[in-house]
């Protein structure tokens, strides 16, 4: 008999975190249905599946079912649930650019909040009450204390993107209070970076990268002239911003561990869990590590602070260790080496 606990629906599975997680799921013998509307993923002309999924299939030597579906379209979600039976949904699909969320907030609320409501309603209809949600350290707002632990206050978010992540967590909490059969794990990611060690899949930002690591990667291959370092007057050891970078494969394995936790322990209710390395690195430390990994000089200029940025953010990831038996194993050198390898092999991303 088919083992239905192996069937997983991954929304946004053609994205950066989704594609690496799908690979880890296949490697752990799960069967995966990916839904994605390709708003931030590339599909080659005449291809049925996005390029990253084709590469994931090759790496795993296994197949994925891919469905072009927009989560804001409830009818197409419904059709998928009618056809397939799942053990759990891993929900990545969202818009994620902080700056853009300030210029088109309605789109962000529509996809991230209303899209998630659609998904939850359809799940309820089909009596599937297990979900792993992509949350973010951004829900903590400006940290009052470091490291950040899960019981700290959330919600002081300064931009629409962050607010959508916080709002969905609140919705999920209310849902769990109203119906004790739900099992919700909200994974709060710190700063995911890096790529699969093969250099076949990685982060493929649209246009000018907003985030540090992809920007450095583009400077390293000469696509950008220099990096702007946003501020050197923070209260940190070298004055530049400190973040908890986590290798994308550690993050992906965190999702597999969360699934196994749901399978073996059947935890009910809402549970937030930090996924971070617990270590903070400054911008200058990341530049140094990247220079070491790539043997390239990364030219940079110190400029003004970026509005909305905080000085430091890093996790206490002990709850993930306790509940999921998960720890981040890759260090900043691995993150830089794998980013460099991906960037060199794919200077124009998937296209
Ligand atoms: P991504 O943009 O690479 O992946 C998101 C995927 O969702 C894309 O493939 C996109 O095409 C798809 N998508 C967007 N809108 C959709 C819709 N309406 N219907 C169906 N598919 C849709 O982003 P990512 O970095 O992989 O992030 C995945 C999740 O993790 C997001 O929820 C994001 O908010 C969260 N997160 C990301 C980070 C980060 O730094 N990358 C940090 C914290 C949390
Ligand atoms: C970003 C998102 C945040 C998300 C988090 C996790 C923004 C404004 N915030 O935050 O919502 O939860 O990623 O992935 O996008 N830096 C530079 N020069 C650059 C880019 C960044 O100096 O060109 C600095 C920043 O000031 C910061 C550090 O590098 O100190 C990391 O920046 P970034 O990669 O954008 O991540 P976050 O600011 O943590």
């Amino acid at each position: 008999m088919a083992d239905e606990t192996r069937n997983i629906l991954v929304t946004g599975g053609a994205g950066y975190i989704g594609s690496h997680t799908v690979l880890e799921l296949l490697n752990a013998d799960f069967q995966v249905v990916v839904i994605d509307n390709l708003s931030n993923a590339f599909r080659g002309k005449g291809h049925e599946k996005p390029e990253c999924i084709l590469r994931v299939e090759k790496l795993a030597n296994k197949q994925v079912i891919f469905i072009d579906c927009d989560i804001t379209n409830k009818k197409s979600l419904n059709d998928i649930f009618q056809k397939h039976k799942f053990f759990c949904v891993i929900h990545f699909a969202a818009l994620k650019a902080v700056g853009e969320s300030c210029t088109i907030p309605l789109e962000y609320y529509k996809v991230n909040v209303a899209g998630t409501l659609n998904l939850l309603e359809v799940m309820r209809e089909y009596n599937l009450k297990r979900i792993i949600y992509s949350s973010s350290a951004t829900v903590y707002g400006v940290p009052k204390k470091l490291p950040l632990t899960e019981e700290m206050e959330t919600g002081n978010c300064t931009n629409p993107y962050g607010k959508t992540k916080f709002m969905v967590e609140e919705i999920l909490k209310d849902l769990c209070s109203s119906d004790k059969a739900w099992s919700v794990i909200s994974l709060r990611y710190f700063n995911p970076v890096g790529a699969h060690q093969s250099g076949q899949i990685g982060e493929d930002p649209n246009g000018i990268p907003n985030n540090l690591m992809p920007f450095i990667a583009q400077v390293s291959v000469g696509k950008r002239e220099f990096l702007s370092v946003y501020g050197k007057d923070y209260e940190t050891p070298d004055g530049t911003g400190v973040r908890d970078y986590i290798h994308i494969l550690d993050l992906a394995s965190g999702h597999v561990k969360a699934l196994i936790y749901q399978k073996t322990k059947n935890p009910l209710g809402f549970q937030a869990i930090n996924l971070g390395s617990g270590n903070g690195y400054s911008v200058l430390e990341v530049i140094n590590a990247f220079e070491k990994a790539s043997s390239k000089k990364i030219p940079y200029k110190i400029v003004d602070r970026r509005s909305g940025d905080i000085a430091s953010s890093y996790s206490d990831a002990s709850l993930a260790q306790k509940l999921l038996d998960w720890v981040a194993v890759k260090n900043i050198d691995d993150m830089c080496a794998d980013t460099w390898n991906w960037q060199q092999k794919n200077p124009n991303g998937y296209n």
Side-chain angles (χ1 to χ4, degrees), residues 98 136 190-191 211-212 228-230 241 243 245 283 306 309:
V98 172
S136 166
F190 279 68
N191 288 59
N211 300 114
L212 180 65
S228 297
V229 174
Y230 298 139
R243 296 291 183 274
Y245 297 94
V283 176
R306 179 171 67 180
D309 270 359

Side-chain angles (χ1 to χ4, degrees), residues 89-104:
V89 176
I90 305 183
H91 180 34
F92 294 108
L95 301 177
K96 65 159 183 179
V98 172
E100 185 185 62
S101 78
C102 300
T103 53
I104 50 165

Side-chain angles (χ1 to χ4, degrees), residues 37-93:
N37 72 346
L38 303 178
S39 58
N40 198 27
F42 173 76
R43 176 162 59 184
K45 227 177 161 189
H47 288 169
E48 205 183 300
K49 295 176 183 175
E51 179 62 24
C52 65
I53 296 295
L54 293 174
R55 294 189 187 187
V56 162
E57 288 184 331
K58 234 185 216 162
L59 287 168
N61 198 20
K62 287 182 184 155
Q63 299 288 304
V64 169
I65 296 176
F66 175 77
I67 304 169
D68 191 337
C69 164
D70 192 315
I71 58 164
T72 62
N73 182 339
K74 201 169 167 189
K75 160 120 191 10
S76 35
L77 280 176
N78 202 75
D79 292 346
I80 292 162
F81 277 78
Q82 204 155 44
K83 216 166 140 198
H84 301 271
K85 214 167 156 43
F86 303 109
F87 171 73
C88 178
V89 176
I90 305 183
H91 180 34
F92 294 108

Side-chain angles (χ1 to χ4, degrees), residues 312-338:
S312 296
S313 163
Y314 52 90
S315 65
D316 176 332
S318 52
L319 188 64
Q321 179 162 23
K322 188 173 143 213
L323 295 182
L324 310 182
D325 184 30
W326 174 92
V327 283
V329 293
K330 294 190 183 257
N331 61 28
I332 191 76
D333 297 326
D334 303 318
M335 301 177 209
C336 293
D338 292 334

Side-chain angles (χ1 to χ4, degrees), residues 100-110 160 164:
E100 185 185 62
S101 78
C102 300
T103 53
I104 50 165
L106 295 186
E107 279 73 4
Y108 273 70
Y109 289 113
K110 185 170 178 191
T164 66

